[in-house]
Amino acid sequence: MHHTKVLIIGAGPVGLTLACELARRHVSFRIIERAAVAPQGSRAKALQPRSLEILNDFGITEDLMRIGTTDLPYRKFQGNKMTGETPRTGFPRNDTRYPKTLLLPQPEVEKALRVKLQDLGGTVEWATTLAAFNQTNEGIDCYLEHADQREALHCNYMVACDGGKSTTRKKLGIDFIGETHQEEQLWVGDVEVEGLARDAWYNWLSPVFGIAFALFPFKNSHIWQLQAVMPPDQDGNVPLPTLEDFNRLFKERTQMEGVTLINSTWQSVYRVNIRRAERYRAGNAFIAGDAGHVHSIAGGMGMNTGIQDAYNLGWKLAAVINGQANDNLLDTYGEERIPIADWLLETTSQRQKVLLAGATSGKSGFESLRTSDTTQLNLHYRGSSLCRTGQPTATGLEAGDRAPDVQLENGSWLSDQLRGTEWKLLLFSGERLSGQQLKVISSSDERISKAYGINTGVVLIRPDGYIALIAAEAREALDYLNALNR
Ligand SMILES: Cc1cc2nc3c(=O)[nH]c(=O)nc-3n(C[C@H](O)[C@H](O)[C@H](O)COP(=O)(O)OP(=O)(O)OC[C@H]3O[C@@H](n4cnc5c(N)ncnc54)[C@H](O)[C@@H]3O)c2cc1C
């Protein structure tokens, strides 16, 4: 029997993020993927500011910024008449270097993560399925099916990143609570478009369908993502579309002359499911990403939330495996991430109603789905058992909040110093302590004091960029870290 510390099931964006997190902490793991090759459908096209910060910690955001776009305007039509255009703006805030959503196809995000993983010495095992497993007191015995052989593998921990239909979740006996909205379905796909300039996100709105048709051009590519709301038949079904169907529907709903859709490389039916796993842990097995939560794509947050799940779980698994924390730390994964999933299901359901509401309000269209919440910068873990109440701050910043980024006087960003796997100690005053896995950052720049609302004491920041403790003395931070192992 082979051995590994962590088996990751699924090499979508969530499994890949987790793999990078473990690889850069030198934890032994395997990442398996049922598909023989990476899927090419564009699917998620939005990387939200919080995810951009996380990928910046991996050092890949700047490369992604070059191939995506942040500024494409929304162009709205009723039939063949243009009714308006809204520029795409960011949400003004100076506590992040990435205030704007980055638009690019999901396969590009996955590719960048795979390249990063390879740099870190990891690799995806394609055409490999988790066929069966059995949890014991010693860990988990797994049976993997490769293209040409079966393998017995023992792992200490297993993380199911195997998508909304997760068979691992089902085998773990974790319920997926919620509902399927049979009436809310969309045709989605990738096409090339002849006859339209690639300078806007085109939305044809109608009082009947809401989004009657939408075409989004990706930068540096011939591909456009297509979405169209499709009412199901009496049995609740929507047929799988063909390129001919896309063209017929386009003509019917837009009455645009001289536009043809060609070379479709992906066609699918998207049906809204609103479900959340009843728990995220069963013994030594965890679930993350779509395996834990599915919801409307309105607002563009599914992949993003999954990436953030993996970023929460990765350092915790590594800390327990490397003997720096006891097993209780792993319970805080569900404690912190389940409330986020509940918020996600609620907010995306509200946005879905707007999407389907039709153009009658004059507000329908994707641009009304974006609010400052979709940046995911405001999400926090206040109240988590990992937070310690400490010194109050002038800005109201508390333990559990995301550590704000700050542009320093010399033009660099605080996040340049926060990058890396360690805990960070922002030192505003007091003695300069050191400890394993603790990076001390002297906070002499006034802008940091202003952003954090304190002039003295320390701020202890977790490896995933959230504040654990704001204290008068550095010693309290060391006590906090020591307590993780008690
Ligand atoms: C049209 C569309 C638009 C979207 N737009 C957005 C958006 O703008 N923003 C956003 O954030 N999200 C969006 N999403 C959602 C996003 O695509 C998903 O949330 C994301 O793919 C989830 O990632 P994941 O890694 O959890 O799962 P997946 O990407 O589904 O990956 C799971 C992987 O596990 C593999 N697998 C399954 N079972 C096994 C097994 N037993 N053994 C081995 N491997 C297995 C699968 O083959 C798959 O590759 C959109 C989705 C669609 C369809």
Side-chain angles (χ1 to χ4, degrees):
M1 172 142 4
H2 295 137
H3 292 261
T4 190
K5 292 285 184 199
V6 184
L7 175 66
I8 301 171
I9 305 131
V14 179
L16 288 167
T17 302
L18 182 62
C20 288
E21 279 293 77
L22 296 179
R24 65 190 190 135
R25 291 178 168 85
H26 312 291
V27 172
S28 100
F29 70 91
R30 305 254 308 256
I31 174 166
I32 59 165
E33 168 54 52
R34 181 173 58 192
V37 290
Q40 284 313 305
S42 58
R43 294 161 296 145
K45 59 184 173 300
L47 266 177
Q48 302 298 354
R50 180 60 192 141
S51 302
L52 291 170
E53 290 187 336
I54 290 171
L55 298 179
N56 181 47
D57 184 25
F58 291 178
I60 60 179
T61 295
E62 293 303 322
D63 287 344
L64 291 171
M65 296 293 284
R66 275 188 280 278
I67 53 177
T69 180
T70 54
D71 293 321
L72 204 65
Y74 298 94
R75 193 166 293 161
K76 296 196 273 188
F77 293 81
Q78 298 265 357
N80 58 10
K81 290 203 176 45
M82 189 176 141
T83 56
E85 184 165 303
T86 321
R88 196 176 176 89
T89 46
F91 293 98
R93 49 192 299 167
N94 54 13
D95 66 340
T96 180
R97 62 204 293 174
Y98 302 113
K100 291 182 171 183
T101 301
L102 179 67
L103 299 162
L104 80 177
Q106 183 169 331
E108 293 292 352
V109 178
E110 294 174 359
K111 190 161 99 191
L113 284 166
R114 282 197 303 273
V115 170
K116 180 71 199 171
L117 181 59
Q118 205 169 6
D119 288 349
L120 292 164
T123 186
V124 173
E125 296 176 51
W126 299 99
T128 303
T129 307
L130 175 68
F133 62 87
N134 181 35
Q135 287 216 54
T136 68
N137 289 338
E138 278 76 50
I140 309 170
D141 295 325
C142 302
Y143 299 92
L144 308 185
E145 260 165 22
H146 299 275
D148 51 359
Q149 52 161 325
R150 220 164 189 238
E151 177 191 355
L153 174 76
H154 177 85
C155 58
N156 298 60
Y157 299 95
M158 180 169 98
V159 186
C161 305
D162 51 350
K165 292 183 181 150
S166 171
T167 48
T168 317
R169 182 192 61 232
K170 287 175 197 147
K171 286 179 194 159
L172 287 167
I174 298 178
D175 283 343
F176 209 31
I177 303 160
E179 38 195 54
T180 298
H181 288 197
Q182 205 74 23
E183 68 288 1
E184 294 170 20
Q185 304 201 38
L186 293 151
W187 272 353
V188 292
D190 290 334
V191 292
E192 290 179 31
V193 180
E194 286 181 341
L196 285 180
R198 304 178 64 86
D199 59 350
W201 182 349
Y202 293 74
N203 287 272
W204 286 268
L205 307 176
S206 94
V208 183
F209 304 109
I211 302 293
F213 217 94
L215 285 169
F216 177 93
F218 289 109
K219 191 177 152 191
N220 295 329
S221 159
H222 299 298
I223 297 291
W224 298 60
Q225 189 183 78
L226 172 162
Q227 295 188 357
V229 169
M230 285 301 292
D233 66 18
Q234 289 164 337
D235 302 321
N237 297 320
V238 168
L240 197 63
T242 61
L243 176 60
E244 289 67 40
D245 293 330
F246 285 156
N247 271 302
R248 181 181 44 73
L249 195 76
F250 182 78
K251 294 241 163 345
E252 225 172 82
R253 290 194 179 173
T254 74
Q255 287 109 47
M256 298 283 285
E257 296 292 335
V259 179
T260 313
L261 313 179
I262 59 169
N263 294 341
S264 178
T265 46
W266 175 56
Q267 313 85 33
S268 188
V269 175
Y270 171 77
R271 189 175 55 174
V272 177
N273 272 287
I274 301 167
R275 292 179 189 275
R276 198 256 287 156
E278 117 271 341
R279 61 207 153 105
Y280 279 11
R281 176 177 194 179
N284 279 355
F286 299 84
I287 55 177
D290 275 18
H293 41 76
V294 291
H295 49 84
S296 160
I297 54 176
M301 285 182 281
M303 172 179 75
N304 287 275
T305 305
I307 287 174
Q308 291 160 46
D309 288 344
Y311 198 59
N312 182 292
L313 180 59
W315 70 269
K316 293 176 180 175
L317 267 175
V320 172
I321 290 168
N322 291 335
Q324 290 149 354
N326 68 41
D327 184 84
N328 294 345
L329 180 64
L330 296 174
D331 287 331
T332 67
Y333 165 60
E335 181 196 340
E336 294 186 336
R337 294 306 298 172
I338 284 176
I340 303 279
D342 287 340
W343 164 81
L344 178 72
L345 265 54
E346 199 186 319
T347 187
T348 51
S349 297
Q350 283 164 3
R351 286 163 210 273
Q352 176 74 8
K353 281 192 195 124
V354 175
L355 188 75
L356 296 177
T360 41
S361 63
K363 282 189 173 167
S364 181
F366 286 110
E367 88 270 43
S368 58
L369 304 177
R370 284 177 65 242
T371 62
S372 65
D373 279 359
T374 56
T375 63
Q376 300 189 310
L377 294 168
N378 301 331
L379 296 175
H380 61 81
Y381 303 137
R382 284 184 186 186
S384 149
S385 57
L386 284 179
C387 297
R388 294 286 171 278
T389 320
Q391 290 210 119
T393 60
T395 49
L397 199 68
E398 283 183 27
D401 290 345
R402 163 189 153 272
D405 202 359
V406 183
Q407 187 160 31
L408 307 178
E409 252 184 84
N410 63 10
S412 71
W413 285 83
L414 177 61
S415 52
D416 294 329
Q417 297 178 62
L418 293 179
R419 197 179 274 148
T421 57
E422 313 94 332
W423 289 74
K424 318 291 179 320
L425 190 70
L426 287 186
L427 193 68
F428 293 88
S429 66
E431 57 180 314
R432 199 182 165 90
L433 292 178
S434 63
Q436 229 192 357
Q437 288 293 306
L438 185 66
K439 179 176 175 186
V440 181
I441 299 166
S442 222
S443 308
S444 48
D445 194 309
E446 251 180 44
R447 297 185 191 191
I448 304 181
S449 290
K450 198 166 162 221
Y452 281 73
I454 53 171
N455 295 309
T456 60
V458 298
V459 176
L460 180 64
I461 302 175
R462 303 170 9 168
D464 59 355
Y466 290 84
I467 295 172
L469 169 78
I470 302 172
E473 304 231 0
R475 194 167 310 283
E476 294 174 63
L478 285 192
D479 288 347
Y480 177 101
L481 290 175
N482 289 334
L484 289 177
N485 213 357
R486 248 175 254 142

